[in-house]
Amino acid sequence: FGKILDVFKKRDIRYFYYIGGNDSANTCKIVNDMAVKNGYDLKAFHIPKTVDNDLLVTDHCPGYGTAAKFEACALMGDELDNRALPGVKIDVIMGRHAGFLTAASVLGKQREDDGPHLVYVPERGVSMDKFLGDVEDVYKKLSRCVVAVSEGICDEDGVTWAEKLAEQKETDSHGNIQLSGTGSLADFLAGQVKSRLGVKRVRADTFGYLQRSFAGLQSSVDAREARWCGRQAVQYAMEEISGSVAIKRVGGGKDYAVELFRTELSSVAEKTKSMPAEYINAEGNGITDAFIEYAMPLTGGLPKTQYLGNEPRV
Amino acid sequence: FGKILDVFKKRDIRYFYYIGGNDSANTCKIVNDMAVKNGYDLKAFHIPKTVDNDLLVTDHCPGYGTAAKFEACALMGDELDNRALPGVKIDVIMGRHAGFLTAASVLGKQREDDGPHLVYVPERGVSMDKFLGDVEDVYKKLSRCVVAVSEGICDEDGVTWAEKLAEQKETDSHGNIQLSGTGSLADFLAGQVKSRLGVKRVRADTFGYLQRSFAGLQSSVDAREARWCGRQAVQYAMEEISGSVAIKRVGGGKDYAVELFRTELSSVAEKTKSMPAEYINAEGNGITDAFIEYAMPLTGGLPKTQYLGNEPRV
């Protein structure tokens, strides 16, 4: 960080804008603190951008709306695929500590029996038995089941399943489970559903980096707000020493609107926000309407899919 | 199949349209043959649709253009991600026997040094040593490397790497490699690059079902042609006993245009098309301009990405 300030001094740089999440806000804060300490006149602003949507103070983070749209579209397709080829489909979605992206998997649901039928976020612990029981219940009812699971899913004691898998490896000299791999959690869950519930067709995907960088789709609302946040940071820097740009929602639903405001770097640096309890259902296996109201406007609208299968059979 | 014909008879169904790939064409053919044998007056038409793009006779298959657009967009994002966080990124793409989808990963390349830098399709065998040597060469030059690998990648002897991995498991009682899992090939390749080339940051994704069902993006050309093929099948059924709809390209580049024609069910049923040799470079690790000319019109256009990183450094 000292080197950053040295370069700033050498090049006479007086404005520092840093785009990113809570770590980036922290970098911005450290550089700013150094400048203050050294009596160097610098304006340092953090511009929020993270698909995790886990910054404090702000209503939501630029980047999240587009990633949320990706999750919704992915599950809309998966849902139709699962109707055509029934079985259990498990999707492992990004988010180690916050469930916002996993929750977004429900945004494209149109019919009562649309998937994802079960959604698990890191904020609510769930035992393997409960998980399997949930899947079995849905499968008995619909003869199929689509599940969205956060990569940070944890047991009731708060330990992530990924960590438990890693422990299991230590004790199992045959090491049938590979742990560090990209698909290990998905494979493990698919294996459990197959062996313990006896479901024949089980598939699992790990969405990986596609979720945060896919070039093929953008939320118009997200793109507009992201640009606005950047512009606003420049305006703030004309008047203030330092800070982070935050979003306040001033209208919901069709009247969705936001205002921007400045917050201290210290209020977002390193801190993280979790999914509010009201966004998770009582059972801990689904997402509430409160979340849908919160997240839907951020996607800038979703495509429509069509399905003829509910027509009366001839 | 006999049951299908029984239902047709019972319901007096005289037109049978079946949408899908070469297996679906074969189903259509079997049902048609039965109808002929039984003297039942039926018109049976296959309507092509497969992301694999591996049907004979037709220039390309409905469904492929949209999936090709997905691959291109996925790699466009991955490319920017890899520039920001350098290392080796490996993407495992659908296609066990045909490399059309994996080849489509190059369609979004805009600059000379854009990824994917290496592309491997099932039509050309490659040894692990050659693969690692290729990755090392790119990594030495660019300090990063994006690789697109078909899930059907095979060794020089024609045996797929996935099969070789499976054999390896048999002989390795410690079973450090999990084979049947969704991410096993990707994990294996990442492990090889890490351990044998000593690259620290190696990431691997397996695109999975997203590629064939993502609801967030569609090729306008593909959507138009898919609908046209369906409509044309109905028209053919007014005149002919049976058949499959095929596409003929009558103009390339900006003058891209197609005509539809009828082909026999037997000419597409069960048969598969591979990537023509002229679409693969001499080294067997890249895709030629001839493929880009072939595939680009099918995507209906790609989004633009921007990157400021090539500006002169201050």
Side-chain angles (χ1 to χ4, degrees):
Chain A
F1 297 111
K3 202 180 166 191
I4 296 177
L5 197 63
D6 287 346
V7 173
F8 285 1
K9 283 180 178 172
K10 195 175 158 196
R11 307 281 184 185
D12 196 28
I13 289 166
R14 302 290 175 170
Y15 296 90
F16 176 43
Y17 302 98
Y18 204 58
I19 303 173
N22 51 18
D23 283 342
S24 306
N26 197 39
T27 298
C28 200
K29 182 178 173 293
I30 291 169
V31 171
N32 184 61
D33 288 350
M34 271 183 171
V36 171
K37 200 179 157 190
N38 283 267
Y40 181 73
D41 184 21
L42 181 79
K43 313 289 181 94
F45 270 83
H46 167 244
I47 301 168
K49 186 273 308 165
T50 170
V51 294
D52 291 332
N53 201 39
D54 63 350
L55 293 181
L56 279 187
V57 184
T58 194
D59 176 78
H60 58 275
C61 305
Y64 174 66
T66 294
K69 186 173 189 171
F70 181 93
E71 309 298 356
C73 290
L75 270 290
M76 286 169 81
D78 228 24
E79 153 62 23
L80 291 175
D81 199 288
N82 187 258
R83 274 185 193 267
L85 298 164
V88 173
K89 175 71 195 294
I90 300 163
D91 292 323
V92 175
I93 296 177
M94 207 172 249
R96 278 165 204 235
H97 307 294
F100 292 102
L101 277 178
T102 304
S105 62
V106 307
L107 294 176
K109 287 177 76 164
Q110 295 169 63
R111 290 159 297 254
E112 189 61 43
D113 64 341
D114 270 2
H117 308 101
L118 298 167
V119 183
Y120 300 95
V121 294
E123 286 84 352
R124 283 284 284 274
V126 57
S127 69
M128 179 54 72
D129 286 342
K130 164 73 176 149
F131 171 82
L132 290 171
D134 287 351
V135 172
E136 191 167 32
D137 287 347
V138 173
Y139 191 75
K140 275 185 180 161
K141 199 174 145 198
L142 302 177
S143 303
R144 66 188 191 92
C145 183
V146 179
V147 190
V149 179
S150 171
E151 62 182 346
I153 187 173
C154 60
D155 221 323
E156 283 162 321
D157 56 10
V159 180
T160 62
W161 291 13
E163 283 172 278
K164 295 216 162 170
L165 271 175
E167 277 170 29
Q168 209 167 321
K169 189 195 182 186
E170 306 275 327
T171 58
D172 176 6
S173 68
H174 292 286
N176 287 314
I177 299 150
Q178 189 198 14
L179 305 145
S180 55
T182 54
S184 57
L185 178 60
D187 291 342
F188 171 70
L189 297 179
Q192 292 285 310
V193 170
K194 233 178 207 173
S195 63
R196 291 182 54 186
L197 299 185
V199 177
K200 273 190 184 167
R201 191 173 194 279
V202 186
R203 298 289 185 272
D205 276 328
T206 304
F207 286 178
Y209 285 77
L210 282 171
Q211 304 163 87
R212 74 176 197 194
S213 65
F214 190 69
L217 148 166
Q218 204 175 40
S219 158
S220 55
V221 171
D222 189 29
R224 190 174 65 234
E225 291 179 354
R227 183 166 279 271
W228 188 18
C229 283
R231 215 166 44 215
Q232 191 64 41
V234 176
Q235 288 188 351
Y236 285 141
M238 300 294 111
E239 305 153 15
E240 307 274 356
I241 296 299
S242 67
S244 174
V245 181
I247 298 175
K248 182 184 176 182
R249 191 182 303 219
V250 293
K254 285 183 182 173
D255 300 319
Y256 173 81
V258 297
E259 287 173 0
L260 302 186
F261 65 102
R262 175 191 162 276
T263 187
E264 297 295 335
L265 286 169
S266 57
S267 61
V268 290
E270 284 193 298
K271 298 181 176 72
T272 59
K273 181 165 74 178
S274 298
M275 287 261 288
E278 76 211 60
Y279 292 171
I280 308 164
N281 72 357
E283 281 269 304
N285 61 11
I287 300 303
T288 64
D289 287 345
F291 171 80
I292 295 173
E293 279 169 40
Y294 163 79
M296 193 62 107
L298 313 181
T299 64
L302 296 174
K304 292 263 170 268
T305 59
Q306 287 178 317
Y307 170 64
L308 298 173
N310 283 340
E311 300 299 313
R313 297 188 70 145
V314 286
Chain B
F1 298 112
K3 202 180 162 190
I4 296 178
L5 197 63
D6 288 345
V7 173
F8 285 0
K9 284 179 180 173
K10 195 175 156 195
R11 307 281 185 186
D12 196 27
I13 289 166
R14 302 290 175 172
Y15 295 90
F16 176 42
Y17 302 100
Y18 204 56
I19 305 173
N22 51 18
D23 284 340
S24 307
N26 196 41
T27 297
C28 199
K29 181 178 174 295
I30 292 168
V31 171
N32 184 60
D33 289 350
M34 272 185 171
V36 171
K37 202 178 156 192
N38 284 267
Y40 182 73
D41 184 20
L42 180 79
K43 313 290 182 90
F45 270 84
H46 167 245
I47 301 168
K49 186 273 309 163
T50 170
V51 296
D52 291 333
N53 200 38
D54 63 350
L55 292 181
L56 280 187
V57 184
T58 194
D59 175 76
H60 59 277
C61 305
Y64 174 66
T66 294
K69 186 174 189 170
F70 181 94
E71 309 299 356
C73 289
L75 269 291
M76 286 170 81
D78 227 25
E79 155 61 22
L80 290 175
D81 198 289
N82 186 258
R83 272 185 195 267
L85 297 165
V88 173
K89 174 72 196 293
I90 300 163
D91 292 323
V92 175
I93 296 178
M94 207 171 247
R96 276 162 207 240
H97 308 294
F100 292 102
L101 278 179
T102 303
S105 62
V106 308
L107 295 175
K109 287 176 76 163
Q110 295 169 60
R111 289 161 295 254
E112 189 60 44
D113 64 343
D114 269 1
H117 308 101
L118 298 167
V119 183
Y120 300 95
V121 294
E123 286 84 353
R124 281 284 284 275
V126 57
S127 69
M128 178 56 69
D129 286 343
K130 165 73 175 149
F131 171 82
L132 289 172
D134 286 351
V135 173
E136 191 167 32
D137 286 348
V138 174
Y139 191 76
K140 274 186 180 161
K141 198 174 148 198
L142 301 176
S143 302
R144 66 188 191 93
C145 183
V146 179
V147 190
V149 179
S150 171
E151 61 181 348
I153 186 173
C154 61
D155 222 323
E156 283 162 319
D157 56 10
V159 180
T160 62
W161 290 13
E163 282 172 278
K164 295 219 162 168
L165 271 175
E167 278 172 29
Q168 208 165 321
K169 190 194 180 186
E170 305 275 326
T171 57
D172 176 6
S173 68
H174 293 285
N176 287 314
I177 299 151
Q178 188 199 14
L179 306 143
S180 55
T182 53
S184 57
L185 179 59
D187 291 342
F188 172 70
L189 297 179
Q192 291 285 312
V193 170
K194 230 178 210 176
S195 62
R196 289 181 55 186
L197 299 185
V199 176
K200 273 190 185 170
R201 191 173 193 279
V202 186
R203 298 287 185 275
D205 277 327
T206 305
F207 288 177
Y209 286 77
L210 282 172
Q211 303 163 87
R212 74 178 197 193
S213 65
F214 190 69
L217 146 168
Q218 203 175 39
S219 157
S220 55
V221 170
D222 189 28
R224 189 173 64 235
E225 290 179 354
R227 182 167 279 270
W228 188 18
C229 283
R231 213 165 46 216
Q232 191 66 41
V234 176
Q235 289 189 349
Y236 286 141
M238 300 294 111
E239 307 153 15
E240 307 272 358
I241 296 297
S242 66
S244 176
V245 181
I247 298 174
K248 181 183 175 183
R249 191 181 303 219
V250 294
K254 285 183 182 175
D255 299 320
Y256 173 80
V258 297
E259 287 172 0
L260 302 187
F261 65 103
R262 175 190 162 279
T263 186
E264 296 296 336
L265 285 169
S266 58
S267 61
V268 289
E270 285 192 300
K271 298 180 176 71
T272 58
K273 180 166 76 177
S274 298
M275 287 261 288
E278 76 212 59
Y279 292 172
I280 307 165
N281 71 358
E283 280 270 304
N285 61 11
I287 301 302
T288 63
D289 287 345
F291 171 80
I292 295 173
E293 279 170 40
Y294 163 77
M296 192 64 105
L298 313 181
T299 65
L302 296 173
K304 291 263 172 270
T305 59
Q306 287 178 318
Y307 170 64
L308 298 173
N310 282 339
E311 300 299 315
R313 296 189 70 144
V314 286

